[in-house]
Amino acid sequence: MAKLSLLLLLELLIFFTPSLSCPEYQKQALLNFKASLINSTTTTSTEGQRVLLFESWNSSSDCCNWERVNCSSSLGSRTVIALYLNDLVDQLPREHTVLTSNILTPLFHIRSLTHLNVSKNKIQGELPSDGFANLTELISLDLGSNDFFGFIPSQLFQLRYLQYLDMSSNNFHDIPKEIGNMTELRHLQFLDLSKNHLEGMFPQWLAEMEVGFIILSGNKLTGSLPPSLFNSTYLNILSLSQNKFYGQLPSNIGNATYLMSLMLNDNNFSGKIPESISNLRTLTLLDLSKNKFSGNSLPDFSSNIWPQIIDLSSNEFSGEISTNFSILTRVLSLGKNKFSGIMSTNLNNMRQLECLDIHDNKITGEFPDFICQISTLRILNLRNNSFQGSIHDCISNLTSLQILDLSNNRLVGKIPAKFGNFTGMIKTSNESVGDVIGFMTTSFSFQGKINDLILNWKKSTQGLSWKNLNIYSLLDLSMNQLSGEIPTTLDSLKALKTFNVSHNNLYGRIPASLGDLLNLESLDLSHNNLSGSIPQELAKLQQLSILDVSNNKLAGRIPGGSQMDTMNDPNFYANNSGLCGMQIRVPCPEDFSPTKPPKVESKERWFSWEGVGIGYAVSFIITVGILYLAKYFVPAKPPNYHRQRRRRRI
């Protein structure tokens, strides 16, 4: 009986095996797609890569077992429901791969698809609208990071089960207006049309839908935002940055009570920030930078325990920074506004603050010593304000500091020797603030990018990515009235990349210990009263690409070496008392060939005149001899010559 049951079970398995495989027409459609992809590569050198990429795709096996293919798990039959065909081009040399939108045609025969991902393939051409109309079961469609152009087909917005639609980083120009009359998209939760060329107003139909993630950044959209957009309790992410939106924000913005990320940067919004924004209790990322917002007060964020990043930089805010912020704020950027007065001690409450950036404002008063209590600070940027007084020694409590920019203020006194205690500049942390912040719901995830840090890096204004914060370390005290000598204790800051103390009143010698900062890339000591020579130890700095010691009182030879020889701009050594070296094409005194002592020179001169005298005497004697022989020089006989001779005879 047991053998009979086993035999019956075996027959049933054999009988049902064909039905557990994917349908033949779906297999053939996928094989046609494979053939089209392979034919799109124009060289034979990548044959091995192409075969390996679709090694499991062959006519003798079940397509449900192929890589990048998922099938339904139904016992009655199995059909293809998901294709993950993203990043195919990255595995082939792009210069030999040209994919057009026609390559998608075979896939439109698989009507059971619920998930289709063909992102990051650089597919060119217009979207085949009729083809997507066949995929009526689609729940998720990812077409991002390709080269599609033209209009977005209205057929896409008729897919009634569609929840996730990503068409970012393409070249689409317009959204069909007739979508406003359609109700099929009632399940849409994620819409990403960023980094295209979309024009026109914010779609009214989109404002009235219950969409959780709306990402339209990097387009050419204009106009004001419809108030109905913020009546949605489902709205979690709204990213409209880098467009041309203008006008004031709707006063009911606080009605979107579950909004986690609001990114409106790089637009032309103006007016005050609505007070109702304080009602967004789940707000984690707020970026309103690079607009024209104004007002002498800011909303009170202290009751919101979620905000991690608040960026209000590059606007027209004025008055004192007197608002309260969440105690959990990690990044607070208020730079490039018109804030004035003294800094509020309320900032002291933010005990998790990692970045405080208030550069380019009109803040006055003494250097704020309460900052010394925010021990988590890694970035402190007070550049271009009017801070006075000396730098307190307590700043050495900020051991995590990696970037300290106090340039262009009115600070006086000495550079604290305790700067050498900045652990963050001795060895940078492996932890990064990160240039993105993640948001996740039960169905979707999103990463919001944080604006780059804007700093004076290597004598130019540059944006530095937060992602690589662990490799940055900067100390900029330039454009102040600091005096005294450069502390030798700074030699402990081994991770320092940029050190700038230019345009101060520093004096004394350049510490030879700066040669121990082996990671230093830029050293600016210009416009001070430094004297002595440039230490030979600086030749050890193999990463150094900028050395500016101009406008000091330095003398002597500029150190040479493989790296020092490359820094040969004479302007970086100008206006000193006596520098020399190959970098400025001025020879040093010791470079001349050695000369003989004065005594030897006198003797040489005597021998030369002695030779003249001897030559003259010899010439005279020879001349006389010649004349004598020629009888031109015979002595005349006296008149009584003969008489005298006769007398001698007598």
Side-chain angles (χ1 to χ4, degrees):
M1 187 65 181
K3 291 183 179 180
L4 182 61
S5 299
L6 185 60
L7 184 60
L8 181 60
L9 179 61
L10 184 60
E11 289 177 353
L12 289 173
L13 286 174
I14 295 174
F15 177 78
F16 281 108
T17 296
S19 65
L20 296 180
S21 301
C22 70
E24 185 64 27
Y25 77 93
Q26 294 187 350
K27 177 193 291 188
Q28 192 59 46
L30 294 177
L31 290 175
N32 289 341
F33 174 80
K34 171 185 175 181
S36 299
L37 181 65
I38 291 178
N39 291 336
S40 298
T41 57
T42 58
T43 63
T44 58
S45 60
T46 57
E47 184 67 33
Q49 289 177 283
R50 289 179 290 175
V51 172
L52 183 61
L53 181 61
F54 291 100
E55 185 177 11
S56 61
W57 289 38
N58 59 77
S59 57
S60 62
S61 60
D62 179 9
C63 68
C64 290
N65 296 326
W66 294 354
E67 293 182 6
R68 299 173 176 263
V69 178
N70 281 0
C71 291
S72 62
S73 57
S74 172
L75 293 177
S77 62
R78 300 192 70 188
T79 56
V80 176
I81 59 172
L83 293 175
Y84 302 102
L85 305 176
N86 53 296
D87 297 288
L88 297 178
V89 173
D90 285 344
Q91 302 185 40
L92 298 172
R94 287 189 180 180
E95 62 272 17
H96 301 305
T97 304
V98 179
L99 302 182
T100 65
S101 55
N102 293 330
I103 199 173
L104 302 176
T105 300
L107 304 181
F108 298 139
H109 296 288
I110 309 177
R111 300 192 175 209
S112 56
L113 277 178
T114 59
H115 293 73
L116 176 60
N117 186 347
V118 293
S119 63
K120 301 179 181 178
N121 285 310
K122 298 299 178 183
I123 303 175
Q124 304 175 5
E126 295 186 353
L127 278 182
S129 55
D130 294 336
F132 282 103
N134 293 334
L135 305 181
T136 57
E137 303 296 320
L138 271 182
I139 295 175
S140 174
L141 177 60
D142 193 342
L143 305 173
S145 299
N146 284 289
D147 288 325
F148 294 119
F149 58 80
F151 294 96
I152 298 177
S154 59
Q155 288 84 347
L156 287 180
F157 297 93
Q158 296 176 6
L159 303 175
R160 58 179 180 173
Y161 298 116
L162 196 63
Q163 298 180 25
Y164 181 100
L165 178 59
D166 187 345
M167 305 179 72
S168 61
S169 300
N170 280 284
N171 296 302
F172 294 114
H173 286 279
D174 199 5
I175 304 174
K177 294 181 174 58
E178 61 268 21
I179 295 176
N181 299 323
M182 301 176 185
T183 58
E184 285 84 355
L185 280 176
R186 59 182 178 272
H187 296 294
L188 188 66
Q189 287 298 305
F190 185 103
L191 177 63
D192 190 349
L193 301 177
S194 62
K195 297 181 180 178
N196 279 283
H197 302 286
L198 302 178
E199 299 179 352
M201 309 281 283
F202 188 95
Q204 184 63 39
W205 61 266
L206 182 58
E208 296 172 356
M209 293 180 62
E210 300 290 346
V211 181
F213 291 62
I214 299 177
I215 308 163
L216 303 177
S217 57
N219 282 288
K220 301 177 182 179
L221 298 171
T222 187
S224 57
L225 299 184
S228 56
L229 174 62
F230 299 100
N231 289 331
S232 171
T233 56
Y234 290 89
L235 187 61
N236 297 136
I237 305 294
L238 180 61
S239 178
L240 307 178
S241 59
Q242 298 176 344
N243 277 284
K244 298 180 180 180
F245 291 113
Y246 57 80
Q248 298 189 18
L249 294 183
S251 59
N252 67 329
I253 193 172
N255 291 350
T257 52
Y258 289 96
L259 192 61
M260 296 186 294
S261 174
L262 178 61
M263 290 173 284
L264 306 178
N265 54 293
D266 290 88
N267 280 285
N268 292 307
F269 290 112
S270 58
K272 293 185 177 182
I273 301 177
E275 290 293 335
S276 66
I277 201 171
S278 301
N279 298 331
L280 302 179
R281 301 305 173 95
T282 60
L283 191 64
T284 304
L285 169 58
L286 175 63
D287 190 351
L288 305 181
S289 63
K290 299 181 182 178
N291 280 285
K292 297 178 181 178
F293 289 112
S294 60
N296 56 8
S297 62
L298 297 176
D300 188 349
F301 294 97
S302 60
S303 60
N304 190 328
I305 63 173
W306 291 107
Q308 296 186 38
I309 297 170
I310 298 178
D311 191 345
L312 306 179
S313 61
S314 299
N315 279 286
E316 299 176 4
F317 295 113
S318 58
E320 294 187 0
I321 304 177
S322 58
T323 187
N324 292 320
F325 296 94
S326 169
I327 60 174
L328 297 181
T329 304
R330 295 170 56 204
V331 176
L332 179 60
S333 296
L334 304 175
K336 296 194 74 172
N337 279 285
K338 299 177 182 179
F339 289 115
S340 59
I342 61 175
M343 287 184 64
S344 171
T345 57
N346 289 334
L347 297 175
N348 185 37
N349 298 326
M350 294 184 289
R351 297 303 177 90
Q352 297 190 29
L353 194 63
E354 297 184 43
C355 172
L356 177 60
D357 187 350
I358 61 171
H359 75 278
D360 286 272
N361 278 286
K362 300 176 182 179
I363 309 298
T364 58
E366 297 287 320
F367 183 84
D369 56 357
F370 68 85
I371 287 181
C372 300
Q373 302 176 36
I374 311 176
S375 59
T376 53
L377 272 180
R378 298 174 64 181
I379 300 168
L380 178 59
N381 188 355
L382 308 182
R383 181 178 75 244
N384 292 348
N385 279 284
S386 298
F387 288 106
Q388 308 171 29
S390 59
I391 305 173
H392 302 301
D393 281 347
C394 70
I395 197 173
S396 62
N397 297 338
L398 307 179
T399 55
S400 298
L401 267 185
Q402 292 178 223
I403 293 177
L404 175 60
D405 192 344
L406 305 179
S407 62
N408 204 4
N409 280 282
R410 300 175 183 176
L411 300 173
V412 298
K414 295 182 178 182
I415 300 175
K418 290 186 177 182
F419 271 13
N421 296 337
F422 289 142
T423 307
M425 299 182 189
I426 297 174
K427 183 178 181 181
T428 53
S429 172
N430 292 327
E431 298 180 2
S432 175
V433 175
D435 66 339
V436 295
I437 181 170
F439 302 93
M440 184 176 296
T441 65
T442 55
S443 303
F444 310 112
S445 62
F446 169 76
Q447 290 185 330
K449 192 176 188 304
I450 307 173
N451 295 322
D452 289 344
L453 293 166
I454 306 299
L455 296 168
N456 290 327
W457 189 268
K458 295 186 178 181
K459 300 183 81 68
S460 65
T461 302
Q462 299 184 27
L464 306 179
S465 171
W466 292 79
K467 177 174 58 179
N468 298 320
L469 179 62
N470 57 329
I471 67 173
Y472 299 144
S473 185
L474 173 145
L475 179 56
D476 193 343
L477 307 175
S478 62
M479 302 290 291
N480 281 286
Q481 301 170 25
L482 300 173
S483 58
E485 298 184 352
I486 299 174
T488 58
T489 54
L490 300 183
D491 63 345
S492 63
L493 307 182
K494 307 295 185 184
L496 200 60
K497 295 281 189 180
T498 293
F499 180 43
N500 189 352
V501 290
S502 63
H503 295 271
N504 280 287
N505 298 316
L506 301 173
Y507 56 80
R509 302 179 69 89
I510 299 175
S513 57
L514 293 182
D516 294 332
L517 305 180
L518 299 181
N519 286 302
L520 204 60
E521 297 176 358
S522 177
L523 176 60
D524 194 345
L525 309 175
S526 62
H527 294 272
N528 281 286
N529 294 307
L530 300 173
S531 58
S533 61
I534 301 176
Q536 181 63 37
E537 285 78 3
L538 296 187
K540 296 187 299 182
L541 304 179
Q542 295 302 309
Q543 305 296 322
L544 195 65
S545 59
I546 293 177
L547 173 63
D548 192 345
V549 295
S550 62
N551 296 280
N552 279 286
K553 299 177 180 179
L554 300 171
R557 180 185 293 276
I558 300 172
S562 58
Q563 190 61 24
M564 289 293 299
D565 293 348
T566 65
M567 292 176 283
N568 54 7
D569 186 345
N571 294 322
F572 288 167
Y573 304 95
N575 298 325
N576 279 284
S577 57
L579 287 176
C580 60
M582 58 81 58
Q583 294 90 339
I584 56 175
R585 292 174 288 281
V586 175
C588 296
E590 58 269 27
D591 293 334
F592 293 103
S593 58
T595 57
K596 296 183 180 181
K599 186 175 182 180
V600 176
E601 291 180 0
S602 175
K603 187 174 181 180
E604 286 179 350
R605 265 189 228 108
W606 183 86
F607 276 116
S608 64
W609 283 108
E610 183 181 51
V612 172
I614 294 173
Y616 178 81
V618 171
S619 300
F620 178 79
I621 293 172
I622 292 174
T623 302
V624 172
I626 294 173
L627 292 176
Y628 184 84
L629 293 175
K631 297 184 180 181
Y632 286 106
F633 197 76
V634 180
K637 296 180 181 179
N640 57 353
Y641 174 75
H642 294 286
R643 187 182 299 168
Q644 289 178 357
R645 291 190 63 181
R646 285 195 300 265
R647 287 178 180 174
R648 285 177 184 170
R649 290 178 181 172
I650 297 174

